[in-house]
């Protein structure tokens, strides 16, 4: 069981680093998008004491990546139209 806990902690550390890196990128390169992060439903738990698991962190990271990807694709297509 101890090895499993160590692996999960390492995975959480990795996900936390990726979330921090991506959030910093958004702040520096996409400030117009960064200001909306507080409004992201993934950051607002629907319960009082959410369980923070590898899946929770992974889902949040995926939501950040999807948000950025959608923004980039939309922004590109808007620039092509102008």
């Amino acid at each position: 069981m101890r090895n499993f806990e160590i692996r999960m902690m390492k995975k959480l550390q990795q996900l936390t680093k990726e979330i921090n890196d991506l959030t910093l990128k958004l702040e520096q390169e996409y400030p117009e998008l960064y200001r909306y992060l507080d409004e992201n439903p993934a950051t607002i738990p629907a319960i009082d004491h959410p369980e923070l698991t590898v899946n929770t962190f992974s889902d949040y990271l995926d939501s950040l990546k999807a948000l950025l990807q959608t923004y980039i694709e939309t922004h590109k297509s808007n620039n092509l139209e102008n």
Side-chain angles (χ1 to χ4, degrees):
M1 187 65 155
R2 181 81 175 126
N3 286 337
F4 175 77
E5 291 171 353
I6 291 171
R7 284 196 314 274
M8 290 299 103
M9 288 302 295
K10 286 183 179 184
K11 182 65 176 171
L12 283 172
Q13 288 174 337
Q14 174 197 350
L15 288 167
T16 300
K17 181 182 180 334
E18 288 181 52
I19 289 168
N20 286 335
D21 290 348
L22 184 52
T23 302
L24 182 62
K25 178 178 180 167
L26 290 173
E27 181 181 23
Q28 294 175 343
E29 297 177 27
Y30 303 94
E32 66 280 14
L33 185 58
Y34 177 78
R35 69 179 143 194
Y36 295 109
L37 288 184
D38 284 341
E39 299 173 12
N40 185 340
T43 64
I44 305 169
I47 57 176
D48 289 338
H49 303 287
E51 185 177 351
L52 300 177
T53 64
V54 169
N55 287 338
T56 307
F57 279 65
S58 184
D59 289 348
Y60 181 59
L61 178 59
D62 290 344
S63 75
L64 288 177
K65 289 177 180 178
L67 179 69
L68 179 58
Q69 186 62 37
T70 300
Y71 178 81
I72 289 170
E73 290 171 3
T74 303
H75 193 68
K76 281 183 185 177
S77 68
N78 285 345
N79 283 342
L80 293 176
E81 293 172 5
N82 293 330

